[in-house]
Amino acid sequence: GAVVSQHPSWVICKSGTSVKIECRSLDFQATTMFWYRQFPKQSLMLMATSNEGSKATYEQGVEKDKFLINHASLTLSTLTVTSAHPEDSSFYICSARGGGQVAGGPHEQFFGPGTRLTVL
Amino acid sequence: AQSVSQHNHHVILSEAASLELGCNYSYGGTVNLFWYVQYPGQHLQLLLKYFSGDPLVKGIKGFEAEFIKSKFSFNLRKPSVQWSDTAEYFCAVRGGNTPLVFGKGTRLSVIA
């Protein structure tokens, strides 16, 4: 149990276009979802936290108009990179945390496989 | 806010050598502690976690970690590494109801 999927797994786009990444919790309800960004050979940096039905909370330095997050349901969150530029190329990882019914309890975050974005 | 420090950037070991990766955190309250592994080209996998109770935690693949509260440490250990343990290892901390905060990671290279 506690599987998190992401789609697409990789995407290449032209500079100036927008890209949407989906994150789904497949077998549990994710009350909270997190979006991380990982640069090559570096750690995961938290971008934002979203709770179902409410606005996302962005970390300092993350442009909320650039990285639009929607957590419309308990199983789906989307990250849209608007007007992408080459410097937005990175590995984006979502994570989900559910309620007490999830294996591991409410404390554990489950990670998706990541989406590699390359902006030309 | 909590922070995590992993002291070793890159560790190179021969097969069968013992491993210890350091992790120190900064947070004044109760913490949950985690070690994740990321094999080349794969996503994060949970190795082990500590919430409460016995400070010596055993995880998958023969890994263990010890929580030493007085030292704010949660070092990862394995008595005998294998080539297949080559990966990036991340220590993570969660204080209260906050998101996981990750250390910068330690790259482990195991040579035959």
Side-chain angles (χ1 to χ4, degrees), chain A residues 34 36 38 41-44 46 49 59 91 93 97 104 106-114, chain B residues 9 32 34 36 38 43-44 46 49 51 88 90 94 97-105 107:
Chain A
F34 309 90
Y36 291 85
Q38 186 180 29
K41 300 183 181 180
Q42 294 189 31
S43 187
L44 284 78
L46 180 67
T49 302
E59 295 299 301
F91 194 55
I93 303 171
R97 188 171 72 196
H107 307 288
E108 190 166 343
Q109 287 179 221
F110 300 94
F111 288 83
Chain B
H9 178 65
N32 303 139
F34 305 79
Y36 285 87
Q38 188 175 32
H43 64 282
L44 283 174
L46 180 66
K49 59 189 177 186
F51 290 163
E88 189 91 18
F90 295 96
R94 179 170 171 263
N97 197 34
T98 59
L100 280 174
V101 173
F102 286 83
K104 292 189 175 182
R107 174 163 296 191

